[in-house]
Amino acid sequence: MNLTELNRVATAMVAPGKGILAADESSGTIKKRFDAIGVESTEASRRDYREMLFRSKEAMSQYISGVILYDETIWQDAKDGTPLVKLIEQAGAIPGIKVDEGTQALPMCPGETVTIGLDKLAERLKKYYERGARFAKWRAVIDIGSGIPSMTAISVNAHALARYAALCQAAQIVPIVEPEVLMDGDHDVDRCYDVTQRVLNKTFQELRVQRVALEGMVLKPNMAISGKTCAKQASVEEVAEKTIRLLKACVPAAVSGIAFLSGGQSDEEATAHLNAMHKLGPLPWGLTFSYGRALQAAPQKAWSGKAENVTAGQRAFSHRARMNGLAAKGEWQSSLEQKAA
Ligand code: 5MM
């Protein structure tokens, strides 16, 4: 393992003013997104859509540091035969790959899951590296509800995250460690804070036990945020203040960077929260976005599966990428959104 090189890649992933595009929707999830815009999900339509994103010059060269791909996408070529991975590299961004294989019900823990995909992971990582992937992603899912999460679910998911991270580093791939505490439910921001604290503490304990080098990884957490149906929604300032307090308490400064998931927040909320956190600096780690929905909802709508809408889709993507790039430096203002509209 070359830690200097892992650290170089991890640092580039959270470079000031840049963040990660999570385009790693599995076939089921992308179908849901396409259903919402009335587009049939086929290998070709998925390719066309992602090619549109990766050919968005402004977004890809100025605001996107890396792209998380799904297995199908990493092996796909653009219409003109150029591998999609090459389009990402040519734009100056780093290709990455989602390597988890989804979740499975956790025995003895009703309503809870564990993320799977460790079998044969070492061999798969080798192939992904040869294809150009320099980082990977694994997402653990923790749900908040009555009596959950259990310590069992937190432990097994943290253990799997650390096993994955160690395998990645041995294969010279930077692991994105994503323990996602879901926003679903009516819990308040403080319950989210408490659960996320337990999850992060357990995750870093496992990472230490399994000798993962913190300088060669990126953490992808949720923010400390109110549940979607909570009657009292925390303000932007409260989310920012509590999230930074939580991360400072749980994430060692040796970690190269933190890149948030958006988790179902609206586009603008996700941008405003990141921006407000940067107002609370200086921060011990690079802090940016690794959004899926909050970067892609607008371009998906603008594109709607029509070739004549490709420019509109790219414009919508570049706008969201620029807004989040500014937020990653604390330089975003809501008036910039209105101007664009
Ligand atoms: C883009 O969505 C990713 C893939 O999800 P599935 O495996 O369920 O298809 C997801 O892992 C994503 O990378 C993160 O959750 C962040 O995405 P959001 O939309 O929460 O920012």
Side-chain angles (χ1 to χ4, degrees), residues 121-132 171 173:
L121 181 55
E123 291 100 283
R124 287 165 59 215
L125 287 169
K126 242 189 239 163
K127 291 189 188 126
Y128 289 139
Y129 185 93
E130 280 162 18
R131 184 71 176 171
I173 287 184

Side-chain angles (χ1 to χ4, degrees), residues 22 47 96 104 133 146 157 182 187 193 217 229 250 261 270-272 284 313 341:
R47 190 272 316 273
Q104 217 170 53
S146 140
N157 276 294
L182 296 176
H187 56 271
Y193 184 110
M217 65 160 272
T229 53
C250 302
L261 57 94
T271 305

Side-chain angles (χ1 to χ4, degrees), residues 50-181:
R50 286 164 172 152
E51 179 173 350
M52 172 185 84
L53 296 180
F54 307 157
R55 284 193 193 276
S56 301
K57 260 222 181 92
E58 189 197 341
M60 293 294 297
S61 61
Q62 293 187 48
Y63 309 113
I64 299 297
S65 56
V67 181
I68 315 174
L69 302 168
Y70 182 54
D71 180 75
E72 175 186 83
T73 321
I74 201 169
W75 304 110
Q76 269 178 329
D77 294 336
K79 252 198 182 133
D80 68 1
T82 314
L84 292 180
V85 178
K86 287 278 167 269
L87 294 185
I88 295 168
E89 289 170 353
Q90 282 161 10
I94 310 167
I97 179 77
K98 183 237 292 291
V99 298
D100 68 66
E101 293 176 335
T103 59
Q104 217 170 53
L106 185 61
M108 317 303 164
C109 295
E112 298 191 282
T113 62
V114 61
T115 301
I116 57 166
L118 288 170
D119 290 352
K120 307 232 171 71
L121 181 55
E123 291 100 283
R124 287 165 59 215
L125 287 169
K126 242 189 239 163
K127 291 189 188 126
Y128 289 139
Y129 185 93
E130 280 162 18
R131 184 71 176 171
R134 291 296 174 268
F135 69 92
K137 193 201 84 171
W138 177 289
R139 172 173 170 254
V141 185
I142 302 291
D143 206 356
I144 300 183
S146 140
I148 61 168
S150 65
M151 205 53 220
T152 313
I154 293 176
S155 293
V156 295
N157 276 294
H159 183 266
L161 272 168
R163 286 268 291 124
Y164 139 83
L167 285 164
C168 284
Q169 291 190 335
Q172 206 50 46
I173 287 184
V174 171
I176 294 185
V177 172
E178 181 180 4
E180 175 173 7
V181 177

Side-chain angles (χ1 to χ4, degrees), residues 170-235:
Q172 206 50 46
I173 287 184
V174 171
I176 294 185
V177 172
E178 181 180 4
E180 175 173 7
V181 177
L182 296 176
M183 278 175 74
D184 301 338
D186 61 1
H187 56 271
D188 66 10
V189 61
D190 293 322
R191 173 112 165 94
C192 174
Y193 184 110
D194 288 344
V195 171
T196 307
Q197 186 168 37
R198 280 164 65 201
V199 169
L200 289 177
N201 284 341
K202 190 67 194 165
T203 302
F204 279 100
Q205 186 192 352
E206 281 294 340
L207 290 167
R208 269 194 296 272
V209 168
Q210 298 189 44
R211 306 183 182 190
V212 172
L214 302 182
E215 298 83 352
M217 65 160 272
V218 169
L219 178 73
K220 178 163 171 167
N222 53 282
M223 299 176 189
I225 197 164
S226 322
K228 265 183 216 155
T229 53
C230 176
K232 192 177 164 285
Q233 291 289 313
S235 67

Side-chain angles (χ1 to χ4, degrees), residues 258-273:
I258 297 177
F260 291 106
L261 57 94
S262 57
Q265 301 175 45
S266 74
D267 297 359
E268 231 174 290
E269 269 167 3
T271 305
H273 287 144

Side-chain angles (χ1 to χ4, degrees), residues 232-253:
K232 192 177 164 285
Q233 291 289 313
S235 67
V236 170
E237 289 68 31
E238 190 177 0
V239 169
E241 186 271 316
K242 289 188 168 160
T243 302
I244 292 300
R245 184 145 52 92
L246 171 66
L247 293 175
K248 279 188 176 169
C250 302
V251 184

